[in-house]
Amino acid sequence: MIKTGAQILWECLEQQGVTTVFGYPGGAILPAYDALKYSNIHHVLVRHEQGATHMADGYARASGRVGVAVATSGPGATNMVTGIATAMLDSSPIVCITGQVGSKLIGSDAFQETDITGVTLPITKHNYLVTHADQVARTISEAFYVASSGRPGPVLVDITKDAQQSTCDFDGKTVEPHLPGYRPELSPTPAEYKQALDLIHSAKRPVILAGHGIVLSGAMEEVRNFAERANIPVGLTLLGLGAFPASHPLSLGMMGMHGEAWLNTTIQEADLLIAFGMRFDDRVTGNLSTYAPNAKKIHIEIDRAEINKNVKVDVALAGDLKAVLRELLPKLKAQEHRDWLAYIDRLKGDSSVRDIQNLPDNGHLYAAHVINDLWRETIGRDTVIVTDVGQHQMWEAQYFKHEAPRTLITSGGLGTMGFALPAAIGVKAARPEAEVWAIVGDGGFQMTMCELATMVQENLKVNIAIINNGYLGMVRQWQEFFYDRNYEATPLLSPNFVKLADAYGIRAAAVNQRSQVVPTMEMTRKHNGPVLIDFQVEREDSVYPMVAAGAALHEMIRRPNPLEETAGDA
Ligand SMILES: Cc1cc2nc3c(=O)[nH]c(=O)nc-3n(C[C@H](O)[C@H](O)[C@H](O)COP(=O)(O)OP(=O)(O)OC[C@H]3O[C@@H](n4cnc5c(N)ncnc54)[C@H](O)[C@@H]3O)c2cc1C
Ligand SMILES: Cc1ncc(C[n+]2csc(CCOP(=O)(O)OP(=O)(O)O)c2C)c(N)n1
Ligand SMILES: [Mg+2]
């Protein structure tokens, strides 16, 4: 049947299982928007194209399906750059579709022309420029395949206006991807498996480093079986949180710059690190020259480029984590590691001392209280937390105990402020049955708060907890520690968030006392629509512990007054 490129586009997206896209129209993508009338796909009108990319990203991270964002050429496409880079750094599968000027105009500085494939080359897994209607079907099929296979990531498809308008014969069948040079399937050799098992069986002080790759691979059960059979404690990266249950006796919490002190020490004293789908980010390792000096290292990783990139390893098992663990598990011997686990328990100390619920209420509201109360309030319910970037993000990682994968969605690698609200909208669109909370700083919220209107227009109940400390808190903390408390450009004026919410028809409340936290959360739950809570917290609190840039992982800055301990850092 003869169809336009624009019609083929939506049909192919439907073939890929797409039901929702996030976008913003404009001249060069108008033929595609016009053809939406033939499609059942739901289009969410965003308020800024960055929001569309974060929504697609949140959608993907919450569901495991590919998220889709649409924009016009020029400024529409360049507004997507931050969201694409965010997805790239965290291996999130999204497909971004942009309109482009007519193919004959390319290179002429035509109205709203930007070389978006050139701009996004280093921040996409792959990108395409489509100039004929007959290229649309194959390109969409390949884009979804590349985005979701191997190490996932963002793919951009730039479609010229004439490619959308012109016609070709389309039989409606899915075109298979044809990418002879792209081989995402890898598997280790029997010798490599044996080397890994030998190291695991001879280790006395092993630790598993659990990363985001566990979630991407769907290997939660295998990781748990592995850890339990070999009795090996598990430390998690920020993006790994939820991949292994926080309440499991072998869980040691988060590692790294703001990770648990006992875990960082454990890693430094280990004789074997077994890395599962994590990439030894600098926030995780601290100073590389002093990182886990006595440990052999095994790295199970799907992207060969990550192996020996930051940390030199003794054995690399290149492949999909779930498949690799399924090979290893039948040969893995049961072990005890009693002394090592007892030693780590002593490092942890008495956890009730650190239990924030046991601290006296000194009249101040700490972000840690808010987050810990939210965790307690939502235990046992299907809850997804989406954070923005900064201190509140780290406190979330420390005080919200994640039991299941895809329950914490956060920008780790790029650390993109403005991520939380739009990503949470994407999460709610993907998982309408879940209770979705955006935990966001007063700074980051103001970067993308225009998306409140998207949330209201779409009738999505996202609960928003603004952790309002009157500062760009994480930067203020660095100024406090490393720049003689010179608080340059970090005190932050904000609008009256309750009135702002009111202007959008969103119910809102301001909270500045601990006793109000739980009742306000209960009100939020009972209310049918979205709720925004402005938590006015202690202004100059800091996240502890902290590994200063360039310091060894075990050299942590600790909270000066343990009585005011708010982090798990006794
Ligand atoms: C303010 C701030 C502070 C931070 N502090 C910390 C901190 O204290 N601690 C911390 O941990 N992080 C911290 N981060 C986050 C940090 O920057 C990294 O984003 C994070 O450590 C990366 O975790 P990851 O390696 O598990 O995930 P990713 O970066 O997503 O890497 C996943 C890895 O898994 C691999 N993979 C993907 N699929 C598979 C598969 N199927 N099989 C096998 N492998 C696969 C990928 O190739 C990749 O190498 C912080 C971020 C910010 C913004
Ligand atoms: C887009 C962007 N710009 C700048 C930064 C640098 N940065 C990291 S954390 C932070 C402060 C965040 O402040 P706020 O949103 O109020 O959160 P808080 O740290 O106070 O919890 C800044 C400016 C960033 N991560 N992203
Ligand atoms: Mg702040």
Side-chain angles (χ1 to χ4, degrees):
M1 223 168 127
I2 299 296
K3 297 215 158 139
T4 64
Q7 286 172 300
I8 297 169
L9 170 67
W10 297 116
E11 253 187 68
C12 291
L13 290 175
E14 283 179 15
Q15 285 172 359
Q16 295 295 334
V18 175
T19 54
T20 305
V21 300
F22 306 91
Y24 206 88
I29 193 75
L30 255 187
Y33 273 85
D34 188 52
L36 249 179
K37 59 183 176 240
Y38 303 116
S39 171
N40 289 324
I41 290 178
H42 176 59
H43 179 272
V44 174
L45 177 67
V46 303
R47 295 300 181 271
H48 185 292
E49 292 85 350
Q50 179 185 352
T53 49
H54 292 327
M55 287 178 209
D57 190 347
Y59 185 97
R61 295 191 205 209
S63 65
R65 301 193 297 272
V66 176
V68 180
V70 184
T72 192
S73 66
T78 55
N79 272 351
M80 287 181 143
V81 166
T82 301
I84 295 172
T86 304
M88 182 70 177
L89 270 266
D90 290 349
S91 297
S92 184
I94 63 171
V95 168
C96 295
I97 292 162
T98 47
Q100 181 55 281
V101 301
S103 54
K104 292 202 175 60
L105 294 174
I106 284 179
S108 71
D109 291 337
F111 178 64
Q112 296 195 325
E113 181 187 2
T114 302
D115 172 11
I116 198 63
T117 48
V119 169
T120 59
L121 188 69
I123 53 165
T124 47
K125 189 171 167 189
H126 195 46
N127 67 26
Y128 295 87
L129 173 63
V130 174
T131 54
H132 295 283
D134 63 5
Q135 297 166 349
V136 171
R138 177 175 303 281
T139 307
I140 293 300
S141 152
E142 290 183 2
F144 275 73
Y145 175 59
V146 171
S148 58
S149 57
R151 178 182 188 167
V155 176
L156 180 128
V157 181
D158 194 28
I159 312 179
T160 60
K161 199 166 182 181
D162 51 324
Q164 297 167 50
Q165 286 167 325
S166 61
T167 56
C168 69
D169 196 22
F170 179 63
D171 62 9
K173 292 204 187 105
T174 310
V175 182
E176 289 304 315
H178 180 66
L179 293 159
Y182 175 62
R183 298 265 166 75
E185 297 87 19
L186 304 167
S187 47
T189 63
E192 287 167 335
Y193 278 121
K194 183 171 179 318
Q195 284 169 358
L197 284 165
D198 287 349
L199 283 183
I200 294 163
H201 290 148
S202 60
K204 298 272 177 292
R205 300 188 307 279
V207 194
I208 290 170
L209 308 182
H212 189 200
I214 299 173
V215 180
L216 293 168
S217 176
M220 284 70 69
E221 202 184 316
E222 288 74 10
V223 169
R224 193 174 170 151
N225 289 341
F226 187 102
E228 286 175 354
R229 177 147 353 135
N231 256 311
I232 299 179
V234 180
L236 297 115
T237 66
L238 175 68
L239 296 187
L241 293 176
F244 189 79
S247 61
H248 195 287
L250 287 169
S251 171
L252 300 183
M254 184 173 81
M255 65 185 82
M257 180 175 270
H258 292 295
E260 305 293 358
W262 61 76
L263 171 55
N264 287 350
T265 305
T266 298
I267 290 170
Q268 290 299 79
E269 296 186 9
D271 67 357
L272 179 66
L273 303 185
I274 314 169
F276 287 169
M278 54 81 74
R279 60 181 176 84
F280 294 104
D281 182 90
D282 52 66
R283 288 304 189 251
V284 157
T285 60
N287 189 328
L288 279 173
S289 63
T290 52
Y291 182 62
N294 304 317
K296 299 269 188 208
K297 284 130 194 149
I298 299 173
H299 197 178
I300 309 182
E301 166 60 56
I302 205 162
D303 182 356
R304 279 193 190 281
E306 289 296 344
I307 293 169
N308 294 322
K309 187 181 85 176
N310 296 338
V311 169
K312 174 126 189 36
V313 297
D314 299 273
V315 179
L317 302 179
D320 170 53
L321 181 68
K322 185 173 180 135
V324 170
L325 289 179
R326 284 189 168 181
E327 279 293 316
L328 281 176
L329 273 167
K331 298 176 199 108
L332 181 70
K333 291 185 192 147
Q335 290 160 85
E336 299 242 329
H337 300 304
R338 218 173 273 163
D339 294 348
W340 176 229
L341 292 172
Y343 174 68
I344 296 169
D345 266 350
R346 287 199 295 280
L347 286 179
K348 278 187 179 173
D350 175 5
S351 59
S352 66
V353 173
R354 285 184 308 275
D355 189 336
I356 189 149
Q357 302 299 324
N358 297 338
L359 291 173
D361 186 348
N362 62 3
H364 295 247
L365 180 63
Y366 290 95
H369 289 146
V370 175
I371 289 159
N372 204 242
D373 283 350
L374 180 59
W375 166 60
R376 283 171 197 275
E377 276 296 294
T378 53
I379 287 175
R381 296 213 300 272
D382 181 9
T383 310
V384 183
I385 306 289
V386 187
T387 80
D388 214 75
V389 170
Q391 291 184 313
H392 63 281
Q393 178 188 30
M394 293 298 105
W395 282 314
E396 200 287 344
Q398 294 176 339
Y399 290 106
F400 199 105
K401 310 292 174 193
H402 289 275
E403 295 295 315
R406 302 188 191 280
T407 61
L408 169 60
I409 285 162
T410 190
S411 165
L414 202 67
T416 305
M417 283 172 71
F419 176 80
L421 177 62
I425 292 171
V427 170
K428 188 68 182 175
R431 301 258 345 266
E433 71 290 359
E435 180 174 329
V436 179
W437 282 83
I439 299 183
V440 53
D442 42 342
F445 182 67
Q446 293 185 65
M447 283 198 166
T448 53
M449 64 187 185
C450 57
E451 303 303 345
L452 286 174
T454 309
M455 182 179 84
V456 173
Q457 187 169 351
E458 288 297 314
N459 200 15
L460 292 171
K461 178 172 168 57
V462 171
N463 302 315
I464 302 162
I466 301 179
I467 305 297
N468 184 356
N469 53 9
Y471 277 106
L472 298 174
M474 185 55 97
V475 179
R476 187 211 57 78
Q477 174 169 347
W478 281 59
Q479 290 170 328
E480 177 186 334
F481 289 6
F482 312 118
Y483 293 89
D484 289 332
R485 296 175 188 255
N486 178 20
Y487 295 157
E488 191 65 60
T490 43
L492 186 70
L493 177 91
S494 292
N496 180 324
F497 288 122
V498 174
K499 283 192 179 165
L500 180 85
D502 190 46
Y504 287 96
I506 297 168
R507 183 176 286 190
V511 171
N512 56 19
Q513 272 170 26
R514 186 136 195 234
S515 56
Q516 300 165 344
V517 173
V518 170
T520 312
M521 284 172 183
E522 278 166 2
M523 173 277 284
T524 303
R525 183 145 47 101
K526 284 185 197 131
H527 180 58
N528 244 334
V531 177
L532 180 151
I533 313 172
D534 176 11
F535 288 106
Q536 295 164 358
V537 298
E538 188 72 9
R539 286 170 57 90
E540 296 191 15
D541 195 9
S542 289
V543 182
Y544 295 93
M546 176 173 189
V547 181
L553 192 57
H554 58 284
E555 291 166 3
M556 285 159 280
I557 304 170
R558 309 302 293 272
R559 185 172 286 273
N561 179 359
L563 266 185
E564 293 213 340
E565 196 86 55
T566 54
D569 58 349

